[in-house]
Amino acid sequence: MATSRIRRSAAAVLTMTAVATTVLVGQAVADEDRPATATAPATATDTRTAEATASAPAHAPVDTAGASARSERVPRIAAAWHSAWTGEDPNALAGLFTKDGTLVDLSVPYTSHGREEITEFKAITERLIPDADLEITDAFRSGDRVVIRTDYSGTLPGASKSFKVQMATVLELRHGKIAVNTDYYDRATMLRQSGLPADWKPPTRP
């Protein structure tokens, strides 16, 4: 009897093993019959795109404007300063300054104190260089200081040619207004481009 029971148990184990093997093999065959999803090898472009996506904030806009987007990053006070210098309103520039604001042109040299003198300096510049123009090439703000880089151009009285020099302007702000405006540009280059002598001086009453 004991031997018979052992044989039946062994037979049962073999039967269960065969069934399990059949199920596993069938599952493997079924998996092989399913259409495979092709996965293309990652290219260098894919890798760079993935890295850029992973590193960029989820809310960051895609920059599609290129270089033209720089103009949108010009600080508001710098844009207002540029509009005032290139516009026709004689009081627009002075209106950006504090009441005791100072405008310093280190290359002339000339310093204006207060809004009234700043308005007069703007008027003198327009009379002296009627075709004066400023084109912002770069601008940024750090706290209460703004740096503006421009191409400054125009024609001086008595000049045979016009000039175009790089200028840097530093604005020091107080409560959103300009407290100090300091302009830096190369006067010698301006005169040389204009065909004027190095000791040229602007007329007393342009």
Side-chain angles (χ1 to χ4, degrees):
M1 288 293 291
T3 302
S4 177
R5 283 197 297 272
I6 291 172
R7 288 175 179 171
R8 286 199 297 272
S9 297
V13 170
L14 292 174
T15 300
M16 292 173 64
T17 300
V19 171
T21 301
T22 301
V23 171
L24 292 174
V25 171
Q27 183 64 43
V29 172
D31 289 341
E32 291 177 355
D33 289 341
R34 292 193 187 99
T37 301
T39 303
T43 64
T45 301
D46 295 334
T47 302
R48 288 194 298 269
T49 302
E51 291 174 350
T53 302
S55 61
H59 62 278
V62 177
D63 182 9
T64 58
S68 63
R70 293 192 191 96
S71 61
E72 299 176 1
R73 296 195 294 268
V74 171
R76 183 176 301 176
I77 188 67
W81 173 91
H82 176 262
S83 296
W85 264 115
T86 57
E88 297 179 358
D89 183 353
N91 300 309
L93 181 64
L96 299 176
F97 284 74
T98 59
K99 290 182 179 180
D100 59 346
T102 302
L103 191 158
V104 183
D105 186 323
L106 290 176
S107 298
V108 173
Y110 193 92
T111 301
S112 304
H113 298 285
R115 292 173 178 168
E116 185 175 345
E117 289 187 11
I118 291 170
T119 298
E120 179 61 20
F121 179 72
K122 172 68 162 59
I124 291 173
T125 302
E126 289 182 347
R127 291 195 300 268
L128 186 69
I129 315 173
D131 61 343
D133 189 32
L134 293 172
E135 180 181 352
I136 293 180
T137 58
D138 192 16
F140 65 89
R141 177 173 179 171
S142 179
D144 285 335
R145 284 183 171 80
V146 179
V147 176
I148 310 169
R149 293 172 55 190
T150 57
D151 283 337
Y152 176 31
S153 61
T155 308
L156 293 169
S160 58
K161 297 176 292 184
S162 61
F163 67 85
K164 184 175 183 179
V165 296
Q166 292 184 345
M167 183 171 76
T169 297
V170 179
L171 305 180
E172 298 175 43
L173 308 181
R174 187 193 309 149
H175 305 302
K177 293 282 190 177
I178 302 172
V180 180
N181 173 137
T182 308
D183 295 331
Y184 304 83
Y185 57 92
D186 190 345
R187 175 185 171 89
T189 299
M190 173 191 287
L191 296 177
R192 185 173 63 254
Q193 290 180 356
S194 301
L196 295 171
D199 59 352
W200 178 89
K201 297 184 184 305
T204 305
R205 295 183 177 276

